[in-house]
Amino acid sequence: MEEILKVNGLSKQFDDLPVLDNLSLSVKKGEVVVIVGPSGCGKSTFLRCLNGLEDIDEGEVLLGEEKVNPNKKNLSRTRERIGMVFQSYDLFPHKTILQNITLAPIKVKKRKKAEVEEEAIKLLDRVGLLSKKDSYPRQLSGGQKQRVAIVRALIMHPEVLLLDEITAALDPEMVREVLDVVLSLAKEGRTMLIVTHEMAFAKAVADRVIFLENGKIVEEGSPEEFFDNPQTDRLKRFLKTFSYEK
Amino acid sequence: MDFNVIKDYLPLYIKAFMLTIKIGWIGIALSLGIGVISAFILHFKIPFFSAVVKVYVELFRNTPLLVQLFFVYFGLPKLGISISAEACGALGLGLLGGAYMAESFRSGLGAVKLSQTESALALGMKKRQLFTSVILPQAITLSVPAVVANLIFLLKETSVFSAISLMDLMFTAKDLIGLYYNTTECLFMLVIFYVIMLLPVSVLGSIVEKKARFKMFGD
């Protein structure tokens, strides 16, 4: 299958602290790659480098043929092609749910308002939030806000979707409603890079799982290999922290 | 207290009241303009201008209005520029208020969360779109409480206008006391007129504040 995102030798430091160390990765169209790892291993920074929210010290990120480079003027164009959903939802508090979703397509893509609203309503209906279209973000629960944030990213028709710990701030019951949406996106063949701590979800949604530590890929494999037959001691120890025995 | 005295003085007070309001609001309009422009300059860190604004803000926040008025009223004619006492009052108030407003708007702009910027950027918005449709509306809401406090503060500061012989409320009260010694009545009316001037601002301000807060934070 066609390669959609390619990362070559990506390195990044915060002052003297290396966060990403010569990282390379290639993602095919329609592939769902889940990245797991301990806190501070560089998972989030890695995603943020992919759409230029963080500067890159060395290496390159290629989206199709186009290079993602924070110093270039076409960065906002590249970002239109890469959707991102954050842990803290970050909906715009002064806009209604519908306005939150339609703002970028209208302002950035210059699409017609009526047409965008029609699409927004369809997407809202799909995630079960049509009745909230005229509410404000403050009136929604965390899980509902996160589903809106996903819709807000989807309506830009991104080629790749980056999900950065999107359930980390949610109650267990709300985690489910958000992850169900993500699962359905995976089923329809969306290309996604997902950072998460939900191992059961990772196993269900991923085509490939990557274990990141100290900015390096320690192990990667299919979810079956990864979770049922980990090779490195480090990954074995990491996975053990998620299971409880008396 | 002699109510006949109050009745006799009423027209003088009303006249002074209107003048105080007129100069007060011209000054405030000026201060809003200066404040917004200064805050933008500080927020975008425009070279040179932002240094000028910083000096201006510190200078005017750290000197009393009375001193500033003296500088404008007695200083400008020495430079060959003569302006009326009214213009002087409005200008002085505008410059003082501008410094305070600049800080209020700047802190509003600074208080919008960085993650708002990032999520807008991630949607492909350009810096300008992001500023006008995401940052600015939130910044305005966030600066409402500080701006309302400034409004009340500035309207009260108009009481030093009497020093440059503007016939405002304070001047009228002092003048009448000097002429007729009806101290109790004159001061009573002074208090009442200041309350009449400021209470609506205060009440309206807190309504706007509540509405703005509710829209942003839901409480």
Side-chain angles (χ1 to χ4, degrees), chain B residues 206-217:
Chain B
S206 65
I207 292 172
V208 172
E209 220 177 295
K210 269 200 192 105
K211 279 209 162 149
R213 264 200 78 82
F214 184 75
K215 202 168 175 192
M216 276 289 272
F217 309 107

Side-chain angles (χ1 to χ4, degrees), chain B residues 5-193:
Chain B
V5 173
I6 291 180
K7 220 174 78 189
D8 287 346
Y9 291 174
L10 202 56
L12 287 171
Y13 269 90
I14 290 173
K15 205 176 151 205
F17 178 73
M18 298 314 276
L19 182 80
T20 308
I21 284 191
K22 186 178 122 196
I23 299 171
W25 285 106
I26 294 174
I28 281 166
L30 209 60
S31 77
L32 286 169
I34 296 172
V36 167
I37 294 167
S38 302
F40 280 6
I41 290 173
L42 289 174
H43 183 73
F44 291 111
K45 301 188 176 71
I46 298 170
F48 177 72
F49 288 100
S50 100
V52 173
V53 169
K54 272 182 198 157
V55 171
Y56 154 70
V57 168
E58 291 311 323
L59 199 67
F60 277 82
R61 283 210 308 178
N62 294 308
T63 48
L65 178 59
L66 188 59
V67 175
Q68 294 164 14
L69 283 180
F70 280 161
F71 261 89
V72 178
Y73 191 64
F74 298 112
L76 284 185
K78 291 226 162 85
L79 297 169
I81 307 160
S82 67
I83 53 173
S84 69
E86 282 186 25
C88 227
L91 185 66
L93 196 68
L95 286 170
L96 171 77
Y100 279 85
M101 295 294 186
E103 281 298 294
S104 304
F105 289 130
R106 188 194 56 80
S107 71
L109 285 167
V112 179
K113 283 194 214 124
L114 180 66
S115 61
Q116 287 283 310
T117 303
E118 290 187 338
S119 69
L121 285 177
L123 287 166
M125 279 193 217
K126 294 210 173 63
K127 290 242 164 79
R128 229 180 83 191
Q129 296 166 330
L130 149 77
F131 185 74
T132 53
S133 33
V134 176
I135 306 289
L136 198 57
Q138 295 188 54
I140 291 171
T141 312
L142 288 165
S143 44
V144 164
V147 169
V148 171
N150 286 349
L151 289 184
I152 294 169
F153 157 74
L154 289 173
L155 283 173
K156 282 195 288 195
E157 282 293 295
T158 57
S159 58
V160 304
F161 284 166
S162 58
I164 53 168
S165 56
L166 261 175
M167 295 214 268
D168 74 326
L169 283 171
M170 196 66 173
F171 185 95
T172 305
K174 281 202 280 194
D175 202 31
L176 287 171
I177 292 169
L179 285 172
Y180 306 112
Y181 302 107
N182 293 316
T183 315
T184 316
E185 288 81 2
C186 285
L187 289 183
F188 174 72
M189 290 177 80
L190 185 62
V191 170
I192 295 298
F193 271 97

Side-chain angles (χ1 to χ4, degrees), chain A residues 63-191:
Chain A
L63 177 67
E65 299 293 303
E66 210 173 331
K67 202 169 162 183
V68 179
N69 187 336
N71 306 318
K72 275 200 180 155
K73 275 194 171 168
N74 64 5
L75 192 58
S76 66
R77 286 232 167 268
T78 314
R79 283 176 178 146
E80 286 178 44
R81 300 170 56 194
I82 309 182
M84 185 159 185
V85 183
F86 301 83
Q87 178 181 336
S88 49
Y89 340 120
D90 300 307
L91 299 180
F92 307 128
H94 57 298
K95 299 208 176 280
T96 66
I97 297 308
L98 193 63
Q99 289 167 341
N100 258 281
I101 297 166
T102 56
L103 182 68
I106 293 171
K107 294 265 171 190
V108 178
K109 292 210 158 166
K110 314 281 177 212
R111 287 172 60 193
K112 288 210 179 65
K113 194 179 170 202
E115 173 211 357
V116 177
E117 282 186 348
E118 196 181 323
E119 190 184 346
I121 283 167
K122 269 188 206 149
L123 285 168
L124 273 176
D125 194 26
R126 179 179 161 181
V127 299
L129 290 173
L130 187 52
S131 60
K132 301 285 181 192
K133 74 178 169 66
D134 298 316
S135 305
Y136 282 89
R138 61 184 153 78
Q139 297 165 311
L140 270 60
S141 72
Q144 292 171 330
K145 277 189 246 190
Q146 198 58 292
R147 282 183 276 159
V148 172
I150 293 172
V151 169
R152 187 175 65 170
L154 284 179
I155 202 164
M156 294 298 283
H157 307 143
E159 291 159 51
V160 182
L161 203 54
L162 310 175
L163 308 180
D164 187 9
E165 297 196 34
I166 58 166
T167 58
L170 298 178
D171 291 343
E173 278 192 329
M174 293 174 181
V175 169
R176 181 81 212 199
E177 64 189 42
V178 172
L179 294 186
D180 278 341
V181 172
V182 181
L183 274 171
S184 80
L185 292 177
K187 259 184 222 153
E188 66 176 38
R190 290 228 170 235
T191 315

Side-chain angles (χ1 to χ4, degrees), chain A residues 46-57:
Chain A
F46 178 61
L47 286 196
R48 292 162 60 84
C49 284
L50 299 183
N51 71 347
L53 281 181
E54 297 283 351
D55 291 338
I56 297 169
D57 292 338

